[in-house]
Amino acid sequence: MTRALSDVAVQPAKSLFMLLTVASLLPAVDAQITVVDLIPQTWSNEAHQDCEPNIAVNPANPLQIACSTFTLDTPSGATMSGSVAPLFVSDDGGNTWSINKIIPSAKGKTLPTQDITLRFGGKSGVLYGAILRQADNEFNPPLNLLRTNNFMGPEPMTVLLTRDNEDQPYVEAMTIATGVDAGKDRVYVGHNNGSNAIAAIDLSLDAATSAPPDGFSLLPIIIETRNTSRDGPQVRLAIHPTGIVYGVFYGWRSGDPPVFTADVVVVRDDSGGKSSKPFQDLSDSDGLPGKRVVTGISVPWLNEHLKDFGQERLGGDLAIAVDPNDSKRVFIAYSDGTSATDYTLRIRSSTDGGLNWSTDLQTLSKAKNPGLAINSSGTVGLLYQQVTENDTGQRWITHFVRTTDGFAHVSDAVLADSDASLPTADTSVGPYLGDYEHLLSVQNNFFGIFCTSNEAKFPSGITLKRNVDSKTKHMRNLQNTADVPPSIDPFFFKVIETTNSSH
Amino acid sequence: MTAQNERTQKAGRNSTDYKFVGILGLLLGVFTLCVHQPVWAATLPEQLSLKSDFIFKGTVQRINASTMAAVPATESTIVVRVDEIVQAKPPDDSLRGKEVTVVLRSPGTVKVGQQSIFFANDYLAGNSIAVTEIGQVPDKSMGALNIKESIKSIVKEHALDPLRKRIETSIVIVGGKVVETKSLPQELSEKPESDREPEWWAATIEVQSVYKGTVPDKKLTIRFPHNFALPGSPKFSEGQQGIFLLHHEKARMLPSEVLVALDPLDFQPFDSSSLIKEIVQLQSIVATAPASSP
């Protein structure tokens, strides 16, 4: 189901006057939103906690989309029945979805992977993945970097690199358009490296075609240059079409669970990691590489299903995006706080390549899972999920926000609104909705993925392929003879710009 | 059917008998087939059924056809009606009577109307199902019935392999009740360094029976991860009763002599008691049997 973004909500949020003013400035229809539940009809019995989603859209053919979540390989089994885990795939722009089991996994495990992110190369059509692979030694699920040139085919993804002691690998990729490296896929994986848990990046400058490890090194590039007890697990990257790469991470400076003191650090490499000192092109006043956007903030580490945060756990959130038309225009999202009560998502920007940063452009209380992207018109998209409370209890609200003026004004669409207590969190799975979700842009359009209850309200519309009772909105089993309990499902969405924004 | 249900159903029966009967049945089936259809029958090892996600009897409806837009029709794709499900993951009957797409190993190996037993792996699941063929046996043969029964026996039998492995690698197996769980004192525990490192807690088990190993006391203290580390590992609580398959594992802040139950199969209901006893006994016999002469 599709709905016009400007029909849904406009939220400059400071006053009714501003609201009306901005609403009058917006074109009648800016963009069309489509939201689709990824669970296919033949998996209507599915009722797992399919959380922590990621998405890849092929820039060369945006009809081709791949998504991942913590989804087991059968609709109703309690553990992996085989050794390959599902990928959600679409070749019609996300209107219909199939499950293709091509992710390396292990039989008998409760989760298909322990982390997974995906990205397509820019023009190659090659899909890359970064996972923490299920293995016999669960104390140390190894990092696997993966590749396939046929994500719709039945062959499992090729393992390019395996390494122990890594956390939260987050992959980005692009194809070099011009110059001597034209046509080569550059792949970057931000992660938390080694037993010391230091922010790091793996990269290959030509990853598409050669045999493993295909340009990846046995050792990663450490991007933390300051004293640290360890860093936060999130390392997020953004690639500009010219090859400039930005990264953002939490440098944990002191503390122990449940609260660390941290800096938010941005690094940059103007040659895409080719130089002898990669990711050191942005320095701070202490002379060290890595610009500290903020210092001495608190970041909670609460590894439990928090009753006062919609059953989710907390450990920091990061996102970063660079304007495809201006490599110096960068936005970041980060969270701080000491507990579920004061956890706050903040948006900041730089217009000089990360040297100087704005104050908070947005502060979103009890919000997490940011996704940031900037489209070819310069419009910034922000995806996030927020816990709110009303008379009936806590709710998870999933927002997609667009702004054309650096968050001075925003148009806000609620994608989903669900009871945060249903379903009850599965105690064998750490994240409830996920430690992350993702937003990206292709040309002028935004594509994203989030997880929430499949019995949520979807104010921007919803398409369900799995069986559902149209009156009660309850999920139904494959035979359509009985209800299936509500569960966490992955939801794809796309925002198609239908007119050029004028502000 | 879950592995646990299968275990419960099979409690009290000799598992080696099953394996013997299953393999014998398959060999008989293959022998019969070899007489009548030697070309394809010769390619039907036991492993074929174990490697298959989906084994079904089906009737070929259309060739050069597909039930899914995501699987373009080619000379390698056929549409098959599922007549009978021999083995599926998970085992349910929901696809019976439905049309599915089969991607053939070799084009031109089937005809419309042909009935076969298809050995296949999952490929795509969307508004329909597509599978990749790894083998097939025409169903008109005299051996087809034997094969189906043999496959069911073999698959059932091998469903117990993971439990057998956990029993074999366990140091101690006891039946009992958890009488206390508590966090460890600070000198025995450090805070986890990541969300994947266990926060170890202690569980005290009041031992009621010993299946394997020796237990010096009526109470046994084990450790278990109290946080989200090691997804699927049993999280014990006071009053919990069952059978504990206890192991030694190497991990930071886990002394080597400490017993743990970290695999989902390491805690079993008392219903599995007979089965676990049998497996322990058989493994003991195998372990103590004299080696055969060269």
Side-chain angles (χ1 to χ4, degrees), chain A residues 40 42-43 74 76 81 98-101 110-111 114-115 132 139 152 154 167 230 257 303-305 313 430 478-479, chain B residues 68 70 89-90 94 122-129 132 191 193 195-196 198 200 228 230-232 250-251 262 264:
Chain A
T42 51
W43 273 44
T74 62
S76 53
S81 72
S98 299
I99 286 173
N100 190 14
K101 299 174 196 171
T110 313
L111 291 176
Q114 294 210 17
D115 273 330
L132 295 184
F139 291 104
M152 296 292 291
D167 194 13
R230 53 193 295 111
N303 191 18
E304 58 190 288
H305 292 141
R313 64 181 184 178
L478 184 56
Q479 291 84 1
Chain B
M68 299 183 74
K89 297 174 182 176
S94 56
D122 294 342
Y123 172 21
L124 288 182
N127 61 338
S128 178
I129 297 282
T132 53
K191 290 187 172 166
E193 290 187 340
D195 59 343
R196 286 186 185 78
W200 295 109
F228 295 131
L230 310 182
K250 289 180 183 174
L262 302 182

Side-chain angles (χ1 to χ4, degrees), chain A residues 43 67-69 71-74 80 84-88 99-103 112 116:
Chain A
W43 273 44
C67 295
S68 59
T69 64
T71 299
L72 292 171
D73 63 345
T74 62
M80 286 290 297
V84 280
L87 191 67
F88 292 90
I99 286 173
N100 190 14
K101 299 174 196 171
I102 59 172
I103 305 294
I116 177 168

Side-chain angles (χ1 to χ4, degrees), chain A residues 37-105:
Chain A
D37 187 334
L38 267 61
I39 301 297
Q41 193 271 335
T42 51
W43 273 44
S44 290
N45 291 342
E46 206 279 335
H48 293 123
Q49 190 166 301
D50 301 319
C51 59
E52 199 150 294
N54 212 255
I55 181 171
V57 179
N58 183 0
N61 179 4
L63 296 177
Q64 297 184 332
I65 307 172
C67 295
S68 59
T69 64
F70 289 172
T71 299
L72 292 171
D73 63 345
T74 62
S76 53
T79 59
M80 286 290 297
S81 72
S83 60
V84 280
L87 191 67
F88 292 90
V89 296
S90 173
D91 62 359
D92 65 0
N95 295 323
T96 59
W97 291 88
S98 299
I99 286 173
N100 190 14
K101 299 174 196 171
I102 59 172
I103 305 294
S105 183

Side-chain angles (χ1 to χ4, degrees), chain A residues 184-453:
Chain A
K184 292 180 180 176
D185 271 5
R186 291 184 178 177
V187 177
Y188 304 85
V189 183
H191 57 86
N192 201 234
N193 168 252
S195 55
N196 293 329
I198 302 298
I201 294 172
D202 274 290
L203 66 84
S204 169
L205 300 176
D206 186 8
T209 54
S210 300
D214 201 0
F216 286 103
S217 300
L218 294 179
L219 295 175
I221 298 163
I222 304 299
I223 56 173
E224 172 67 275
T225 57
R226 298 179 176 84
N227 291 331
T228 183
S229 56
R230 53 193 295 111
D231 291 326
Q234 306 86 358
V235 179
R236 303 291 186 260
L237 306 172
I239 309 174
H240 187 265
T242 56
I244 296 170
V245 181
Y246 288 89
V248 61
F249 65 94
Y250 285 109
W252 284 358
R253 303 305 175 214
S254 61
D256 278 311
V259 181
F260 288 91
T261 300
D263 302 337
V264 173
V265 183
V266 171
V267 296
R268 194 186 76 217
D269 193 303
D270 295 338
S271 60
K274 289 180 76 173
S275 70
S276 59
K277 294 182 178 178
F279 295 96
Q280 296 193 7
D281 288 329
L282 185 61
S283 295
D284 206 340
S285 54
D286 59 0
L288 294 173
K291 174 68 181 181
R292 294 164 296 179
V293 180
V294 290
T295 58
I297 62 169
S298 296
V299 181
W301 188 260
L302 298 163
N303 191 18
E304 58 190 288
H305 292 141
L306 298 166
K307 290 178 181 173
D308 51 354
F309 207 94
Q311 305 188 79
E312 189 54 278
R313 64 181 184 178
L314 293 175
D317 287 279
L318 288 175
I320 186 167
V322 57
D323 188 338
N325 298 312
D326 180 357
S327 65
K328 293 185 180 304
R329 185 170 178 246
V330 187
F331 287 77
I332 63 166
Y334 71 92
S335 293
D336 61 11
T338 59
S339 67
T341 307
D342 63 355
Y343 197 72
T344 303
L345 181 65
R346 302 174 190 277
I347 310 297
R348 293 191 175 195
S349 72
S350 170
T351 55
D352 58 7
L355 206 55
N356 294 285
W357 288 85
S358 70
T359 55
D360 289 344
L361 304 174
Q362 289 270 288
T363 54
L364 301 160
S365 173
K366 300 193 80 165
K368 72 182 306 294
N369 289 347
L372 272 173
I374 305 175
N375 71 7
S376 56
S377 299
T379 301
V380 180
L382 168 65
L383 171 69
Y384 67 93
Q385 294 181 299
Q386 188 170 34
V387 180
T388 64
E389 191 146 11
N390 62 19
D391 293 343
T392 61
Q394 292 178 45
R395 302 195 70 80
W396 273 112
I397 314 295
T398 303
H399 295 261
F400 175 69
V401 168
R402 287 163 69 251
T403 179
T404 56
D405 57 8
F407 290 92
H409 307 95
V410 299
S411 56
D412 182 2
V414 173
L415 303 179
D417 175 350
S418 66
D419 182 338
S421 66
L422 290 175
T424 302
D426 180 345
T427 55
S428 67
V429 182
Y432 180 61
L433 303 182
D435 292 340
Y436 49 77
E437 55 190 17
H438 197 77
L439 177 74
L440 55 80
S441 67
V442 175
Q443 301 297 326
N444 214 27
N445 303 317
F446 293 99
F447 298 83
I449 189 166
F450 63 91
C451 292
T452 198
S453 167

